[in-house]
Amino acid sequence: QVQLVESGGGLVQAGGSLRLSCAASGNFFSINDMGWYHQAPGKQRELVATMTRAGRTNYADSVKGRFAIFRDNAKNTVYLQMNRLKPEDTAVYYCNADIRVASTSYTYNYWGQGTQVTVSS
């Protein structure tokens, strides 16, 4: 069974930094796109940043220049470095990945359980 496990959320003051991590585990062949989404109370889940296996990135306009996504393919892990955090960044952050599982050779989309990020003003 494939799982995505996130860590690194917490409470931080505005202007501070946090780094989120998400590690994939289980029986799979490879991981294609990996990314981060967030969902604030009462709002829809939104894209924050994604990265292809080859390293191509895509960011939401609201985080460009402040957040950076990177991954360690050898560790099946994706990171989100969040700098100059703002109160409006407060949300639950979810890891997402397209993973080719070993049992079927098909690629499925997986979500992590989410980690809370709270930015105080």
Side-chain angles (χ1 to χ4, degrees), residues 21-56:
S21 301
C22 171
S25 63
N27 194 15
F28 54 87
F29 287 129
S30 62
I31 304 175
N32 298 329
D33 292 0
M34 300 186 83
W36 293 92
Y37 292 71
H38 68 195
Q39 187 168 18
K43 295 188 177 181
Q44 290 189 332
R45 192 172 297 186
E46 299 177 332
L47 179 146
V48 177
T50 60
M51 177 176 268
T52 67
R53 185 173 181 83
R56 188 183 311 120

Side-chain angles (χ1 to χ4, degrees), residues 44-94:
Q44 290 189 332
R45 192 172 297 186
E46 299 177 332
L47 179 146
V48 177
T50 60
M51 177 176 268
T52 67
R53 185 173 181 83
R56 188 183 311 120
T57 59
N58 181 43
Y59 292 94
D61 288 342
S62 61
V63 306
K64 285 180 180 177
R66 300 189 298 122
F67 291 10
I69 186 171
F70 55 101
R71 57 193 283 180
D72 184 335
N73 290 331
K75 294 182 178 180
N76 299 314
T77 300
V78 63
Y79 305 90
L80 184 68
Q81 178 65 43
M82 304 185 292
N83 300 323
R84 292 186 282 139
L85 282 158
K86 304 175 180 181
E88 50 264 43
D89 295 321
T90 295
V92 178
Y93 283 71
Y94 295 92

